[in-house]
């Protein structure tokens, strides 16, 4: 062996937030995939729309609008604890992380509840016509995202209280927060499309 | 950054290295025993399994093709019959596209990308294993259904309404749509894995502009997968819903549109061609550089061409739909885009020619396959320009001309480079050398057989022979050319058998290869053949595009703990060391999760109860997969 | 208001005109036909025939089809106390669409399949049965009746009761004893023919027609000798002129209806033989002009692409001589009918004094959504005004007489056309309207239905349906499926209307005291003010009402109102036939619009007779 | 890994294999027997139609083609004829009863189609008619048609194929 250049990494940290973290990239790519799916399904909505004379064929009833507004409100509200939780994660403040994670989980469960209300309030079924299919499709897709988020949140609640909480879990908490932003962000265009259409018809 | 770059003299570090090797071997040890077989997450092992699986499916697809050729060998032939023939061509197409071409290219990526960028493994080894098992389950499911007469029979793109609930009764198309969903899930997971591996696990110093072209190709391909595959997953989901719960996405009678299926399918389907083709271009670049013994001419144009192809690839799906009666303006736009894609392809071809021209050629078998690729691909490209023109497309749509064209593009554009790549990387994969004489004989036979099989199809198509017919009348005059094609198919088979013989012989008694038999330029040739589970004893750091030609061994990373499965995370652009990350070890959960996915998807065909079942299984798997197990890493200070 | 001098009547009409200009609920402003129409402002209307006798001898009361009775004992003032006098259960739980007849002191009713005839002695208390006649029709006829196994009533003439059975027999009974006098078989159940219409007797001829336009039946009107039951003549609605009884006397008003053998040439080869044009509506008769008027039903199959051409003489109206059946004129409401717009709806005959002199008019509310005013002497269309929501056509060209179809709404095989309004049952189906000469208004029970429709290949198999359209009906704009409206035919204006949730599938009745009676499918029988539409009285019956109300003076001098309850017919079949509401295309698509009906009413069959206490 | 998953999938799919067999225009081996309208013995030959998705979908096509849909409606909801998707059978809901109804006709207006329809098509029709009320296995039932009609009945009346009791005749 002769002369070697050496890159020493002994003192590097064992975790990092944001785009420095591979898991952040993984979830970002998942968001790309799911975001593309939402975008395509919305395109399907508008594609189908321009082929049908009367649209919506069965307008979502007033109840649907209330339910949709409730879901939107709950989801938007859940952004606040998520944001605060991320802040606590950067500082490594476990107590605050726990508190906000519980709050956020409660809100996500509430959103799941209003979502069930939404489904029940729809005055048409998925097999009524193409409009019904695409609206149910959009809602179901978002419910899948929502459900995945709820399961993750619940897992984190258990982990945070049961321990052992490792330092790298701070990053996982942050990435989970980012996914939750996506759940909320993905819902907004869907809500605007489904209910806005009925509202401003 | 806390890392320091220093040049210092090293004392005798032999014993130090031995201890390091011992500890690394211990930490990265492969699982043992029967159970260990199911837990393994090492990327070389998974990639090898994926390669073998893909080639098994290639062989099965080939057998189906031969059966079809036998059926068509002479007019009024009835030895397979319409029902089986429909299943054969559908399963053949689906196998080749979904179970062979995409997975095999990704397997090469999974195997080579970490090696090439100087990483110990991929970013998410468990996800990698999960992707493999999902793919395997999907593929096996397709073949079980074929052998039980439940094979899909509506063509590999399963146009509605033919594939819809009314005209495709039973479960055949459901099988198809679920198989596609399986393989897309696998492809998406692998693509995400490859992207993160490429962007975050590169050796220090390997900035983006120093990445090997093959890595670039896999990176671009993976991004295409991320944005293209959701379309087909959505499409097959909608098809499944239409068939199983009576939605109306594609039912024109109540507002749906069958053309929507074609839009969604080809929005994936056309990029799919490039998803198959771009990694092949990466392989060609690797081979051309190595056997020209010089840096590639036009690295930047090459990279830009890859990226441009990816973007353009999304803009021409409609040229598969010229016969559906679209607006004139749209036709013009997509014709222009289709012709434009010839530009980046042309740039790459000229760069290779320039590299070869100015290099010192070593005429090894891999290079022969590259020459074959160029010849065939040019023919395929020319017929592609022909069908990009609407009037010609309308004339030859759904004829054997299209069959000829797509096989020239796909076999010429992907299989020949792949075979070249296999010949090139075989020493790295196995530690053995392939026989050059057999290799060249294999090339000559496959090249001849391929052209004998598919060139006559151009003429058949121009004479009006439609695709997807199980027989034809003698009076059509299609007989002689079809017979020629069938003979050619057997010559092609002979060629592939020679390649297989070569592989088997090499595995049994091949010459020992050593780390770098070809005197190549990229990092994978700096490690043992086949690589150890931990791949690199010392992680490398690089200072140029051709590290092995530029003296890689002069720079190493130090300070990694060999007693943990540590990987070095670097910055996405300039690959500066950022942090050290501990990967989870082997686990049974990827397999269990894949089985849960499989059970859910397959049960879904038969009952909607699969949804709650899948939810329950999925939750269990998620918890099992991510639940932290000792030994724990540094704990957060304030614990309950 | 009561009948008085001519001056008062004129005054009232002027008042009504004023009312509609200023006070109508829903002016048909979008209904302006593109070409000018003849509006007989200031005209005076009188029914073409009829003198009040307190009886109800014909299903429509008179040959002019007015359903107007001059009886005025029950008034808007006392109608609120109307009570059930007696009821009679037929024991048949199918659609009861018939009108009872009252001749002297006897009431005659004919039931749906199995087509029993009951005679009630009105002098005895509470409708004591006098005799009952069992027709014993073939059971298999039920399977080819397109729209429930209904019968729309009997006819009386000269001591005889005439009626049709579902299995194509016309039967004459002795009115006093119920003895069968003759029984003539007129059609073949095996070919899909049935008979549901109420006969009309004119000058010793019993006029009957067949049903089965949904089964590729060739339609006809047949005249039978009232004494012997022998066929005097038969006029087909399709085929060569000799079959259609078109001869030298035939002078249609519009050029498009003139020519040789149009009943053959306006069809694809041989298609006229299975081309429909059945005759199952009400026949009118004008004794002064000596002309019969009746509509022909839809051409078959419904799928219009399988019968290129005008498909004469379907979906139109014939004027014929009762003596030999020879056609005098013809007008086609819906040439090359696209939507099962049968032309069979009744024609009300009335005369008008106009500034240009007296006109002999004919009012017809067609399924295609237009209310036509024709000159009944020559078949000229004087006006055609939308009375319901119409998307399938844009008015009638009064120079050629042709309906202007909307091309985008034309059904094609394998393609769904949305928002076809009115739907196949039309803006108004068979349910007959009434005309009061006192108010000069038509009282129209009608539908507000739209549909989505997809064409499919129809195959002809004798005795099975020959339709070729898949249909899903929906409520029209507003969500109400039915309307009851008062219409001024001369002003071509709606005067008032009542939105009904369900299609108004019963007939209408108007009396000399300006009361209008009609029933709804959920079983409510209503009396409204003829001038304002205000609801004055209603009764809940045991089943939905699809029958034709009548009124008569009993032997005791009191005024009675009688009507059948018994939901059914095309619109109501979902209840008695227990059709499956989860299949929107059931009952040719009608079920999709009537999913709630089984919850709203139940099957039954009861004759209700009401009177004041 | 491959062996157990193969086994699992083979098991799953083996159940479906017979249901997918398609015979493009073949005469039925049962033809001679049932042209005399004898009730079929239950068992294997019947399942050739009732357990075969292709046969059921052929039945759906024939249901429109032979004008069954004209009376019983495209979705089997009824119209001129009684509904077929409500699980109530006037003349018995066993396959042989339905077959007899088609071949011989029934007194209240069901024509006799025996002379018009080849026997194997009659059995395909029987299979489709039974599927309308959800009496066939889910995996052989036809999906929704490419039309404005709807496909599956909302209720599963009975999964098995008993010889359903004839209902008392309507008065």
């Amino acid at each position: 062996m002769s002369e070697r250049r050496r890159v020493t990494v002994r003192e590097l940290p064992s975790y990092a937030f944001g785009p420095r973290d591979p898991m952040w990239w993984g979830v970002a790519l998942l968001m790309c995939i799911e975001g593309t799916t939402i975008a395509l399904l919305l395109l399907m909505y508008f594609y189908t729309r321009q082929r049908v004379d009367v649209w919506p064929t069965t307008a979502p009833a007033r109840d649907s609008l209330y339910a949709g507004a409730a879901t939107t409100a709950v989801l938007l509200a859940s952004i606040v604890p998520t944001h605060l939780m991320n802040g606590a994660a950067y500082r490594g403040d476990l107590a605050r992380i726990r508190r906000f994670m519980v709050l956020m989980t409660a809100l996500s469960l509430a959103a799941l509840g209003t979502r069930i209300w939404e489904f029940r309030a729809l005055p048409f079924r998925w097999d009524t016509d193409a409009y019904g299919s695409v609206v149910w499709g959009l809602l179901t897709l978002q419910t899948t995202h929502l459900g995945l988020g709820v399961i993750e949140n619940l897992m984190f609640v258990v982990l945070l209280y049961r321990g052992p909480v490792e330092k790298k879990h701070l990053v996982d908490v942050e990435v989970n927060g980012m996914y939750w932003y996506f759940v909320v962000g993905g819902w907004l265009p869907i809500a605007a499309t489904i209910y806005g259409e009925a509202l401003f018809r | 950054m806390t890392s320091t770059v220093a040049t210092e003299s090293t004392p005798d570090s032999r014993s130090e290295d031995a201890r390091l090797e011992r500890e690394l071997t211990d930490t990265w040890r492969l699982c043992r025993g029967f159970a260990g077989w199911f837990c393994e997450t090492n990327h070389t092992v998974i990639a090898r399994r994926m390669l073998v699986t893909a080639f098994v499916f290639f062989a099965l697809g080939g057998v189906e093709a031969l059966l079809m050729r036998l059926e068509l060998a002479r007019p009024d032939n009835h030895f397979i019959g319409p029902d089986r023939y429909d299943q054969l061509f559908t399963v053949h197409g689906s196998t080749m596209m979904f179970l062979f071409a995409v997975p095999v290219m990704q397997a090469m990526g999974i195997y080579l990308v970490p090696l090439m960028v100087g990483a110990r493994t991929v970013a998410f080894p468990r996800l990698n294993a999960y992707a493999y098992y999902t793919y395997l389950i999907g593929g096996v499911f397709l073949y079980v259904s074929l052998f039980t007469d439940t094979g899909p029979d509506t063509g590999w793109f399963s146009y509605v309404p033919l594939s819809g609930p009314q005209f495709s009764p039973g479960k055949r198309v459901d099988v198809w749509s679920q198989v596609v969903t399986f393989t897309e899930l696998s492809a998406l997971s692998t693509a995400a894995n490859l992207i993160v591996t490429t962007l975050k696990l590169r050796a220090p110093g390997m900035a983006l502009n120093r990445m090997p072209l093959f890595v670039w190709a896999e990176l671009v391909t993976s991004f295409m997968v991320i944005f293209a595959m959701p379309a087909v997953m959505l499409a097959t989901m909608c098809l499944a819903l239409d068939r199983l719960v009576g939605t109306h996405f594609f039912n024109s009678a109540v507002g749906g549109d069958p053309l929507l299926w074609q839009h969604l399918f080809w929005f994936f389907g056309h990029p799919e061609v490039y998803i198959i083709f771009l990694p092949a271009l990466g392989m060609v670049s690797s081979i051309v550089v190595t056997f020209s013994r010089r840096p590639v001419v036009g690295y930047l144009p090459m990279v830009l061409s890859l990226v441009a192809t990816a973007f353009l690839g999304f803009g021409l799906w409609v040229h598969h739909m010229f016969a559906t009666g679209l607006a004139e303006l749209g036709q013009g736009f997509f014709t222009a885009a289709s012709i434009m894609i010839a530009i980046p392809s042309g740039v790459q071809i000229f760069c290779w020619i320039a590299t070869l021209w100015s290099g010192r050629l070593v005429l090894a078998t891999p290079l022969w396959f590259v020459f074959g690729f160029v010849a065939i691909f040019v023919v395929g490209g020319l017929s592609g320009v022909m069908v990009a023109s609407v009037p010609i497309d309308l004339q030859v749509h759904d004829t054997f001309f299209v069959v000829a064209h797509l096989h020239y593009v796909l076999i010429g554009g992907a299989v020949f480079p792949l075979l070249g790549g296999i010949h090139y990387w075989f020493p790295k994969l196995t530690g053995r050398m392939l026989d050059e004489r057999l290799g060249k004989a294999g090339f000559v036979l496959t090249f001849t057989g391929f052209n004998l099989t598919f060139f006559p199809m151009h003429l058949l198509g121009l004479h009006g022979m439609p695709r997807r017919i199980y027989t034809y009348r003698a009076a059509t005059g299609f007989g002689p050319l079809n017979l020629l094609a069938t003979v050619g198919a057997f010559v092609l088979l002979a060629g592939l058998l020679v390649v297989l013989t070569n592989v088997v012989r090499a595995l049994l008694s091949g010459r020992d290869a050593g780390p770098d038999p070809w005197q190549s330029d990229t990092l994978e040739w700096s490690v043992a053949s086949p690589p150890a589970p931990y791949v690199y004893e010392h992680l490398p750091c690089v200072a140029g595009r051709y590290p092995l030609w530029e003296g890689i061994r002069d720079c190493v990373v130090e300070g990694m703990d060999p007693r943990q499965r540590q990987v070095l995370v670097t910055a996405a652009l300039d690959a500066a060391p950022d942090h050290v990350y501990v990967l989870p070890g082997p686990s049974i959960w990827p397999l269990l999760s894949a089985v849960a996915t499989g059970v859910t998807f397959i049960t879904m065909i038969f009952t909607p109860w699969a949804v709650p079942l899948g939810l329950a299984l999925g939750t269990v798997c998620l918890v099992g997969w991510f639940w932290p197990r000792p030994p724990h890493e540094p704990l957060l200070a304030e614990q309950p | 208001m009561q009948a008085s001098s001519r001056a008062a009547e004129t005054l009232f009409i002027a008042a009504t005109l004023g009312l509609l200009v200023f006070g109508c609920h829903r002016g048909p402003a979008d209904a302006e036909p593109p070409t000018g129409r003849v509006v007989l402002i200031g005209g005076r209307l009188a029914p073409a025939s009829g003198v009040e006798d307190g009886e109800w001898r014909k299903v429509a009361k008179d040959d002019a089809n007015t359903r107007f009775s001059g009886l005025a004992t029950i008034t808007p003032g006392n109608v609120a106390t109307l009570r059930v006098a007696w009821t009679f259960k037929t024991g048949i739980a199918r659609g009861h669409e018939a009108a009872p007849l009252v001749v002297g002191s006897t009431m005659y009713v004919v039931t749906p399949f199995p087509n029993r005839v009951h005679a009630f002695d009105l002098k005895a208390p509470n409708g004591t049965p006098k005799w009952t006649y069992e027709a014993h029709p073939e059971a298999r006829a039920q399977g080819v009746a397109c729209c429930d196994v209904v019968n729309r009533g009997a006819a009386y003439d000269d001591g005889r009761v005439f009626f049709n059975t579902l299995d194509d027999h016309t039967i004459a009974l002795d009115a006093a004893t119920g003895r069968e006098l003759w029984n003539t078989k007129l059609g073949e159940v095996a070919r899909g023919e049935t008979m549901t219409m109420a006969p009309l007797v004119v000058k010793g001829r019993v006029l009957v027609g067949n049903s089965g336009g949904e089964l590729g039946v060739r339609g006809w009107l047949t005249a039978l000798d009232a004494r012997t039951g022998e066929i005097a003549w038969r006029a087909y609605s399709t085929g060569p002129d000799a079959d259609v009884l078109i001869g030298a006397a035939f002078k249609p008003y519009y050029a498009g209806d003139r020519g040789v053998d149009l009943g053959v040439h306006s069809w694809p080869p041989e298609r006229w033989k299975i081309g429909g044009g059945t005759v199952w509506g009400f026949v009118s008769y004008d004794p002064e002009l000596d002309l019969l008027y009746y509509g022909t039903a839809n051409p078959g199959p419904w799928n219009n692409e399988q019968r290129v051409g005008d498909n004469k003489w379907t979906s139109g109206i014939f004027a014929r001589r009762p003596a030999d059946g020879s056609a005098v004129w013809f007008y086609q409401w819906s040439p090359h009918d696209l939507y099962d717009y049968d032309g069979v709806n009744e024609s009300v005959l009335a005369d008008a004094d106009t500034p240009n002199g007296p006109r002999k008019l004919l009012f017809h509310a067609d399924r295609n959504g237009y209310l036509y005013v024709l000159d009944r002497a020559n078949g000229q269309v004087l006006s055609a005004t939308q009375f319901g929501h119409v998307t399938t056509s844009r008015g009638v060209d009064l120079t050629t007489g042709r309906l202007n179809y909307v091309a985008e709404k034309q059904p094609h095989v394998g393609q769904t056309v949305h928002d076809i309004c009115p739907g196949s049952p039309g803006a108004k189906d068979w349910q007959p309207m009434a005309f009061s000469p006192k108010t000069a208004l038509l009282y129209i029970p009608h539908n507000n239905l739209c549909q989505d429709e997809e064409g499919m290949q129809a195959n002809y198999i004798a005795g099975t349906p020959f339709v070729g359209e898949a249909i899903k009906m929906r409520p029209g704009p507003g969500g109400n499926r039915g309307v009851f409206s008062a219409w001024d035919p001369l002003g071509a204006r709606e005067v008032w209307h009542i939105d009904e949730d369900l299609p108004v599938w019963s007939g209408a009745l108007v009396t000399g005291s300006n009361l209008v009676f009609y029933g709804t499918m959920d079983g409510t029988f209503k009396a409204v003010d003829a001038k304002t539409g205000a609801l004055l009285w209603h009764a809940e019956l045991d089943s939905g009402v699809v029958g034709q109300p009548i009124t008569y003076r009993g032997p005791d001098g009191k005024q009675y109102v009688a009507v059948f309850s018994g939901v059914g017919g095309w619109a109501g079949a979902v209840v008695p036939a227990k059709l499956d509401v989860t299949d929107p295309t059931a009952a040719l698509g009608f079920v999709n619009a009537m999913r709630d009906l089984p919850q709203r009413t139940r099957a039954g069959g009861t004759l209700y007779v009401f009177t004041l206490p | 890994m491959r062996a157990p998953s193969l086994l699992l999938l083979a098991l799953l799919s083996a159940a479906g294999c017979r249901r997918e067999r398609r015979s493009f225009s073949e005469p039925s081996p049962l033809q001679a027997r049932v042209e005399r309208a004898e009730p079929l013995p239950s068992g294997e030959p019947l399942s050739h139609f009732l357990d075969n998705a292709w046969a059921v979908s052929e039945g759906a096509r024939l249901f429109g083609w032979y004008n069954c849909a004209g009376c019983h409606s495209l979705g089997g909801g009824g119209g001129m004829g009684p509904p077929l998707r409500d699980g109530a059978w006037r003349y018995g809901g066993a396959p042989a009863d339905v077959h007899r109804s088609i071949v011989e006709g029934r007194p209240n207006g069901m024509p006799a189609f025996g002379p018009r329809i080849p026997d194997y098509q009659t059995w395909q029709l029987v299979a489709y008619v039974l599927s309308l009320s959800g009496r066939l296995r889910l995996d052989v039932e036809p999906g929704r048609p490419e039309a404005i009609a709807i496909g599956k009945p909302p209720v599963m009346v009975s999964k098995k194929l008993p010889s359903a009791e004839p209902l008392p005749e309507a008065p």
Side-chain angles (χ1 to χ4, degrees), chain D residues 23-24 37 45 47 62 67 76 79 95 99 111 113 115 126 143 166:
Chain D
S23 39
F24 296 102
S47 68
L62 298 170
N67 291 358
H99 183 272
F113 281 89
V126 169

Side-chain angles (χ1 to χ4, degrees), chain B residues 301-361:
Chain B
M302 289 283 253
V303 171
L304 290 179
S305 294
L306 287 173
V307 177
T309 307
F311 277 101
L312 285 175
F314 278 96
L316 26 119
W317 79 92
V318 172
H319 74 208
H320 295 264
M321 300 165 60
F322 281 151
T324 59
L326 295 153
E328 288 278 324
L329 185 69
Q331 291 186 346
F333 173 82
F334 286 103
T335 300
S338 307
I339 293 173
M340 206 152 79
I341 196 114
I343 297 171
S345 309
V347 166
Q348 299 195 55
I349 299 247
F350 282 115
C351 286
W352 291 323
I353 291 175
T355 312
L356 290 166
W357 197 277
S358 56
R360 292 176 290 117
L361 291 195

Side-chain angles (χ1 to χ4, degrees), chain B residues 222-253:
Chain B
S222 299
F223 271 109
M224 291 188 77
V225 169
I226 294 282
F227 290 104
M229 296 276 179
V232 74
M233 274 188 80
L234 186 64
T236 54
M237 278 291 178
C238 291
L239 177 63
L241 289 171
D242 265 20
R243 295 177 52 83
L244 299 173
V245 300
T247 55
H248 298 285
F249 290 107
F250 306 121
N251 181 4
S252 67

Side-chain angles (χ1 to χ4, degrees), chain B residues 99-112:
Chain B
L99 299 180
F100 169 64
V102 176
V104 84
M105 294 301 175
Q106 290 197 321
M108 293 296 276
I110 284 292
Y111 193 93
L112 291 171

Side-chain angles (χ1 to χ4, degrees), chain B residues 448-484:
Chain B
T448 318
F450 170 80
N451 283 297
L452 270 181
T453 311
F454 293 103
F455 198 82
M457 292 187 189
H458 288 115
L459 303 174
L460 281 170
L462 290 174
H463 289 153
M465 178 166 167
R467 295 168 81 173
R468 300 189 174 128
I469 49 163
Y470 77 101
T471 193
Y472 50 90
R473 294 272 170 219
T476 55
F478 299 150
L481 282 173
N482 268 304
L483 187 59
L484 182 61

Side-chain angles (χ1 to χ4, degrees), chain A residues 1-30 32-34 36-45 47-52 55 57 92-98 125-138 141 147-148 151-152 155-156 158-170 172, chain B residues 1-10 13-14 17 123-124 188-189 191-193 195-196 199-201 204 223 226-228 230-231 234 238 242 245-252 254-260 263-264 267 538 541-543 553-560 568-570 572 577-582 615 619 622-623 626-629 631-640:
Chain A
M1 283 292 153
S2 59
E3 301 272 302
R4 271 184 170 179
R5 286 193 316 132
R6 285 174 183 264
V7 177
T8 305
V9 298
R10 195 166 283 124
E11 289 159 36
L12 288 182
S14 66
Y15 65 92
F17 289 102
R20 291 167 62 193
D21 173 45
M23 187 55 90
W24 184 93
W25 279 89
V27 173
L29 289 171
L30 174 72
C32 285
I33 294 166
E34 291 306 317
T36 311
T37 312
I38 292 178
L40 286 169
L41 205 48
L42 285 172
L43 278 177
M44 279 174 72
Y45 179 95
Y47 181 92
T48 312
R49 183 183 192 274
Q50 48 111 18
R51 296 188 70 257
V52 175
W55 188 277
T57 49
D93 182 344
L94 185 59
R96 285 171 71 84
I97 293 176
R98 280 183 184 151
R125 277 162 45 112
W126 61 90
D127 57 359
T128 305
D129 53 16
Y131 172 73
S133 302
V134 73
V135 169
W136 275 77
L138 279 164
L141 176 67
L148 194 62
I151 292 174
E152 267 193 33
M155 275 170 62
F156 271 108
V158 175
L159 175 75
L160 288 173
Y161 279 94
R162 186 180 165 276
V165 184
E166 299 165 25
K167 279 187 178 162
K168 68 168 188 189
H169 287 143
L170 294 175
D172 296 340
Chain B
M1 288 296 116
T2 50
S3 67
T4 55
V5 178
T7 309
E8 57 182 59
S9 93
T10 320
S13 54
R14 203 156 300 222
D17 279 0
F124 310 115
L188 283 166
S189 312
N193 217 338
I195 291 175
V196 180
L199 292 183
K200 296 306 294 177
L201 301 188
F223 271 109
I226 294 282
F227 290 104
L234 186 64
C238 291
D242 265 20
V245 300
T247 55
H248 298 285
F249 290 107
F250 306 121
N251 181 4
S252 67
V254 287
D257 186 10
L259 268 190
L260 181 59
H263 280 297
L264 284 173
F267 183 76
H538 294 283
C541 44
V542 297
R553 287 174 184 82
D554 288 348
C555 180
V556 292
V557 172
E558 66 157 26
M560 304 278 283
L568 177 62
V569 180
T570 55
D578 185 78
H579 64 277
V580 175
Y581 186 79
V582 180
L615 202 66
T619 310
L622 264 177
V623 172
F626 288 108
W627 199 250
R629 276 175 205 78
H632 295 296
E633 286 170 62
L635 295 184
L636 207 56
E638 173 200 346
Q639 292 288 329

